[in-house]
Amino acid sequence: MLKEKIKKIEEISVSEIKKAANERALFDIKVKYLGRKGKLTEILKSLKNLNENERKTIGPLANQARQKLESEIAKRQKELSEKIDWEREKIDITLPGKKTEIGSLHPITLVYREIEKIFASMSFEIVEGPELETEWYNFSALNFPPDHPARDMQDTFWIRSEKEKFVLRTHTSPVQVRYMEKHKPPFRIIVPGRVFRNEATDAAHEHTLHQFEALVVGDDVNVGHFKYIASQFFSVFFGKKVEIRLRPSFFPFTEPSFEFDISCTVCSGKGCPSCKNSGWLEIGGAGMVNQNVFASAGYPENRYQGFAWGFGIERLAMMKYKIDDIRWFESGDLRFIRQL
Ligand code: DAH
């Protein structure tokens, strides 16, 4: 009985081993017969219950069967490992390849780099400051009166804090005072940077913007210097002769203060839809540094003169690349960035 059973197991298992399609299937067969609860293992384990006579005949038979299975498994194992699975190795040369995507720079980065290049060529130093600013640097040091509307929650992002009052800087002007505290005139700097306004957004308004500030201070710096430097910069930036126009304005940190226009970069001042037929485009604010700002930085009163301006970088990028909606810049839409 047991003899036949062993023969049968040997026969069936050997034929299964030969047919095993892959290594996984072969492993399963091995477990089925030789595993801890395998069919042949069970028989080998039961040998101890037999009487001595039976054990003498059945024992060697069962061991031979085990050796046979083991050698057949090893044989099949070798065959399978040498066999190349052509189905898996097949390469479909008609499949399209994986393209390596090449990135492109954001228009704000492009304009940043252009601005920095032009000002570096005019010996300006490029300076940066913190985006999280104290109320002192963002407002008070710049001569904003305590009740100025810009200090309002509606216009500015205030940060809840215990001791000092912090804001997300609303302009790059605070870096003027930070720089002057550490440097003596004469100097010329530009400050590119990100600024924040508590603003309802539309095609012309964003809550996150970029500006660049300029500050030139010395013994006898005047408005003529400012107009010259500005017209040099804009002419190089737009690649054509650009005229400057100043209109009286007010900023707490300059005296006198100006609104600053450039001749229309589309029609060169003749009048077109881009400039609403005025021939001019509004760019930003500027002025001669207020002596109170020099005082905030610790400079003696009426000792120095200087000019400053603050321009929006988005506005320049919109003009240069003909972008019609300011919200594109922060949209994260790659189709927008890839065009440039
Ligand atoms: N900080 C002003 C703003 O964001 C812009 C500005 C105006 C900057 C006049 C200046 C300046 O340096 O002189 O609206």
Side-chain angles (χ1 to χ4, degrees):
M1 268 288 283
L2 208 49
K3 241 179 176 172
E4 268 91 67
K5 204 173 165 189
I6 294 171
K7 273 271 161 258
K8 194 118 195 112
I9 288 175
E10 190 182 313
E11 223 171 82
I12 296 173
S13 61
V14 168
S15 100
E16 279 178 24
I17 289 166
K18 289 195 163 133
K19 278 188 267 173
N22 53 46
E23 292 179 57
R24 173 78 230 176
L26 186 62
F27 179 77
D28 289 343
I29 295 167
K30 186 176 177 180
V31 172
K32 183 169 153 195
Y33 294 100
L34 298 175
R36 258 197 310 145
K37 289 194 173 136
K39 290 189 182 179
L40 195 59
T41 313
E42 296 283 312
I43 291 174
L44 285 161
K45 276 199 258 178
S46 70
L47 289 180
K48 61 178 183 300
N49 304 327
L50 300 177
N51 64 42
E52 212 185 314
N53 246 344
E54 282 176 320
R55 213 183 310 150
K56 266 192 185 146
T57 49
I58 305 287
L61 248 164
N63 274 316
Q64 271 167 28
R66 188 182 62 193
Q67 278 163 17
K68 172 86 176 152
L69 253 69
E70 279 171 351
S71 76
E72 285 295 327
I73 288 169
K75 211 166 95 192
R76 185 69 187 142
Q77 176 88 47
K78 193 155 175 272
E79 276 170 19
L80 284 173
S81 69
E82 282 167 0
K83 194 176 109 191
I84 296 172
D85 183 352
W86 290 111
E87 215 26 65
R88 265 184 57 185
E89 294 297 316
K90 204 161 71 178
I91 295 170
D92 181 354
I93 56 164
T94 65
L95 273 178
K98 272 195 197 139
K99 242 204 294 188
T100 311
E101 299 269 351
I102 296 174
S104 44
L105 294 173
H106 193 280
I108 295 298
T109 307
L110 292 172
V111 172
Y112 255 43
R113 293 193 179 174
E114 181 75 13
I115 290 171
E116 290 177 359
K117 199 172 88 193
I118 298 169
F119 279 97
S121 79
M122 295 194 282
S123 307
F124 277 65
E125 188 186 341
I126 294 151
V127 176
E128 289 185 345
E131 291 176 355
L132 183 62
E133 195 45 285
T134 60
E135 182 180 28
W136 164 255
Y137 284 109
N138 197 79
F139 295 122
S140 310
L142 293 170
N143 200 34
F144 280 80
D147 55 354
H148 193 283
R151 297 194 188 223
D152 212 88
M153 299 269 280
Q154 262 63 48
D155 295 327
T156 300
F157 292 113
W158 287 87
I159 306 298
R160 205 175 289 143
S161 52
E162 305 228 314
K163 276 192 261 138
E164 233 179 320
K165 285 170 101 181
F166 287 97
V167 297
L168 290 181
R169 67 174 175 192
T170 58
H171 50 178
T172 43
S173 305
V175 189
Q176 290 188 18
V177 178
R178 285 187 177 274
Y179 183 87
M180 288 194 288
E181 282 173 340
K182 299 208 175 85
H183 298 86
K184 271 203 150 357
F187 61 78
R188 37 187 140 175
I189 62 169
I190 59 161
V191 185
R194 188 155 55 163
V195 305
F196 308 86
R197 304 266 167 104
N198 195 350
E199 192 99 62
T201 61
D202 61 30
H205 297 89
E206 251 297 6
H207 48 70
T208 301
L209 298 153
H210 298 79
Q211 286 189 335
F212 81 105
E213 193 86 7
L215 179 65
V216 175
V217 181
D219 288 332
D220 55 3
V221 176
N222 61 49
V223 179
H225 296 127
F226 157 55
K227 280 190 82 171
Y228 176 75
I229 299 258
S231 85
Q232 287 296 306
F233 164 68
F234 282 103
S235 298
V236 177
F237 185 77
F238 287 109
K240 55 164 74 170
K241 178 103 191 71
V242 172
E243 307 278 350
I244 307 295
R245 182 175 78 170
L246 303 180
R247 289 177 286 121
S249 183
F250 173 79
F251 298 102
F253 36 95
T254 43
E255 178 61 33
S257 304
F258 312 109
E259 289 296 332
F260 177 98
D261 304 331
I262 61 170
S263 52
C264 178
T265 53
V266 179
C267 65
S268 295
K270 285 186 215 69
C272 73
S274 283
C275 57
K276 298 194 190 90
N277 273 318
S278 70
W280 297 95
L281 299 168
E282 283 178 33
I283 291 286
M288 298 304 292
V289 179
N290 192 305
Q291 290 297 324
N292 291 342
V293 176
F294 286 146
S296 299
Y299 288 178
E301 215 175 314
N302 294 325
R303 168 72 184 79
Y304 300 110
Q305 281 180 205
F307 70 77
W309 75 55
F311 300 154
I313 292 182
E314 276 78 2
R315 182 142 171 80
L316 294 185
M318 288 170 88
M319 288 179 190
K320 193 169 168 114
Y321 301 117
K322 316 231 178 317
I323 296 163
D324 60 359
D325 192 320
I326 197 168
R327 288 168 295 189
W328 281 116
F329 292 104
E330 297 283 325
S331 69
D333 192 328
L334 291 177
R335 291 170 307 174
F336 165 64
I337 294 166
R338 289 205 177 110
Q339 290 173 62
L340 301 171

